[in-house]
Amino acid sequence: MNFALYRELLAVRPISRLLLVGMVARIPHSAAGVLLTLHIVLSLDQGYAAAGAAAAVMTIGIAVGAPWRGRRVDTVGLRTALIPSVISEAVIWSVVPHVSYQWLLPLVFVGGLLTLPIFSVVRQSLGVLADGDQRRTAFALDAITTEVVFMIGPAAGAIVATSGFTVLGLTIVGVSTSLAGLFLMWFNPPTRSPAQDEECSADERHAAEAAVVSAAPAHLQEAAAELVPAGATHRGPGLRSKVAHNFAWFTATVAAVFAVAAGAGMVLSGTDVGIVAALETGGRQAEIGIVFLFWCAASVVGGLVYGAMHRPVSPILLLLGMAALTIPMGFAHDTWSLAFTAILPGLLCAPVLSSASEKVADLVAEERRGEAMGWYGSALTGGVALGAPLAGVFIDVTGPSGGFVSVGAAGVVLCFAGLILQQRRRGKSPAQ
């Protein structure tokens, strides 16, 4: 292991600045979930089921929007692609706290659809700015800063909400995220290498000239421009060939990485719910922060170690370990035993996310990487949306331990399915 890689990486000013901007920009939305939940429960007098439904609607919006937002970055550039997010973040989150629950649902869906794509942009830019061992270290640092964000954001959101300032808190989330988007536009980190920009510039100009269907939605215009290049007059096999080319990046190996992202999101969100349920059931709500501190700190340590390694580790194997080690958390009997059992799965949290991001960057060419990172984000978000209700159902039926056992077992099953898929693909195509 070479921990000097961190010093060398942070000495590269564009990388250190990108990581800092990414961390600051993520803090508001990391607090938004807690603020929105408590606003619905405390200010709108709705139950936790209604709050969970709103969170699910927002999550669906994020999952639907992420690939499109990533593709916009690929086709029109970062600055232009971020304009809708900068506007919507400020407007929607300033309006959400002042409407009824019925109006809140469509607003948070649109807010999720147009959310600032900070996660995918940071990963995509790191894939350009760093390579080799530096890339692994960069993605590990990104995962670590994300853990720091989730140490700060939810706690800050809970303090603001329980003090009775959910309206102010949600407004601050929107305004501060919008400002972060403006700063990102000014910083304008690269999303593809200069050589790739030169190769693609002519094709992009031709595609722009062909995008004549002005009444269609933006993403359909892009599809038309890409599928019918300027000057093309033929139909049939040529068009089908172009379609196949556009989706050539989505291989079985990439699909397995997306499955890992979904599994990681499921295990993490289910563990989150399980921790809260375990301590709330025992009347120890005030000690929730202790368990989260151990869990997140372990992830930071794991991320630092993984980032200093010379060789990558399969994201499937890392998720398998994290999921299996989550199950014993269901047998903890008090705050401290829960905190200590959270350390082992926590150690693998940042490495799982780092390894999966690195794998996507390695497998997908730069001109499609923004879209791929968008789908990666959707898979992660979809797993998060699945894990919380899955854990909740088992908690209601069997008690707090059921949450940890259910998501841990589901993660293990998903990993074995991924391993079987990879083995079959290798048997059919030795080149892969």
Side-chain angles (χ1 to χ4, degrees):
M1 286 185 284
N2 182 12
F3 287 98
L5 285 171
Y6 288 105
R7 184 176 64 251
E8 296 170 5
L9 188 76
L10 292 174
V12 181
R13 189 174 178 183
I15 292 179
S16 58
R17 184 167 54 180
L18 176 65
L19 289 169
L20 179 61
V21 171
M23 184 175 72
V24 173
R26 289 165 175 162
I27 290 175
H29 266 294
S30 70
V34 173
L35 281 167
L36 184 64
T37 297
L38 293 178
H39 174 73
I40 291 171
V41 172
L42 301 177
S43 301
L44 299 184
D45 234 5
Q46 301 287 329
Y48 280 95
V57 167
M58 182 173 68
T59 300
I60 291 170
I62 293 172
V64 170
W68 167 56
R69 308 293 294 136
R71 186 62 186 141
R72 289 288 290 173
V73 173
D74 285 338
T75 55
V76 302
L78 181 64
R79 286 174 170 165
T80 303
L82 291 186
I83 292 173
S85 296
V86 168
I87 296 172
S88 68
E89 292 282 7
V91 173
I92 289 177
W93 291 102
S94 297
V95 174
V96 161
H98 302 284
V99 300
S100 65
Y101 180 75
Q102 288 70 24
W103 282 103
L104 180 145
L105 291 177
L107 281 172
V108 297
F109 174 79
V110 176
L113 193 69
L114 296 175
T115 194
L116 189 73
I118 186 64
F119 285 90
S120 59
V121 167
V122 170
R123 294 188 190 107
Q124 185 178 0
S125 186
L126 285 176
V128 173
L129 292 170
D131 55 15
D133 287 342
Q134 267 201 340
R135 179 176 288 174
R136 185 173 311 115
T137 306
F139 282 129
L141 271 176
D142 180 54
I144 291 166
T145 57
T146 301
E147 290 300 330
V148 174
V149 164
F150 281 96
M151 289 181 188
I152 298 171
I159 291 172
V160 171
T162 53
S163 300
F165 298 109
T166 57
V167 173
L168 176 62
L170 288 169
T171 303
I172 290 174
V173 164
V175 173
S176 57
T177 305
S178 182
L179 290 174
L182 288 172
F183 188 79
L184 198 61
M185 290 170 68
W186 171 77
F187 173 28
N188 195 27
T191 55
R192 61 175 63 182
S193 64
Q196 187 66 42
D197 276 334
E198 291 173 6
E199 291 173 6
C200 293
S201 58
D203 290 339
E204 288 174 355
R205 282 196 298 272
H206 289 312
E209 292 168 2
V212 295
V213 193
S214 58
H219 61 288
L220 294 182
Q221 292 179 33
E222 291 164 12
E226 289 165 5
L227 297 178
V228 189
T233 57
H234 61 280
R235 295 182 181 179
L239 182 60
R240 289 195 296 272
S241 176
K242 187 67 175 179
V243 172
H245 174 72
N246 283 337
F247 290 94
W249 63 268
F250 188 69
T251 63
T253 308
V254 173
V257 178
F258 289 169
V260 168
M266 178 182 64
V267 173
L268 293 175
S269 64
T271 302
D272 193 332
V273 172
I275 290 172
V276 173
L279 295 180
E280 189 177 27
T281 301
R284 300 186 295 273
Q285 300 94 316
E287 298 172 357
I288 288 175
I290 295 174
V291 180
F292 273 89
L293 177 62
F294 274 72
W295 189 33
C296 294
S299 180
V300 170
V301 172
L304 285 170
V305 172
Y306 183 78
M309 293 174 63
H310 292 291
R311 293 183 179 180
V313 179
S314 168
I316 292 182
L317 293 179
L318 289 170
L319 175 60
L320 179 61
M322 185 176 76
L325 291 169
T326 297
I327 296 174
M329 293 180 67
F331 303 100
H333 53 82
D334 58 23
T335 301
W336 290 105
S337 62
L338 185 60
F340 285 122
T341 52
I343 291 175
L344 290 178
L347 285 170
L348 296 176
C349 174
V352 167
L353 300 177
S354 174
S355 177
S357 298
E358 181 186 8
K359 195 73 172 176
V360 173
D362 288 342
L363 291 171
V364 181
E366 282 185 10
E367 67 269 17
R368 309 299 295 192
R369 198 174 289 159
E371 183 179 5
M373 285 297 185
W375 281 108
Y376 171 86
S378 292
L380 183 63
T381 304
V384 170
L386 176 64
L390 175 64
V393 168
F394 280 88
I395 288 169
D396 288 342
V397 174
T398 64
S401 62
F404 301 113
V405 174
S406 61
V407 295
V412 169
V413 170
L414 185 63
C415 287
F416 278 112
L419 287 171
I420 292 171
L421 174 63
Q422 281 195 345
Q423 290 299 323
R424 286 184 176 179
R425 291 294 299 177
R426 287 183 186 134
K428 291 179 180 179
S429 176
Q432 284 191 354

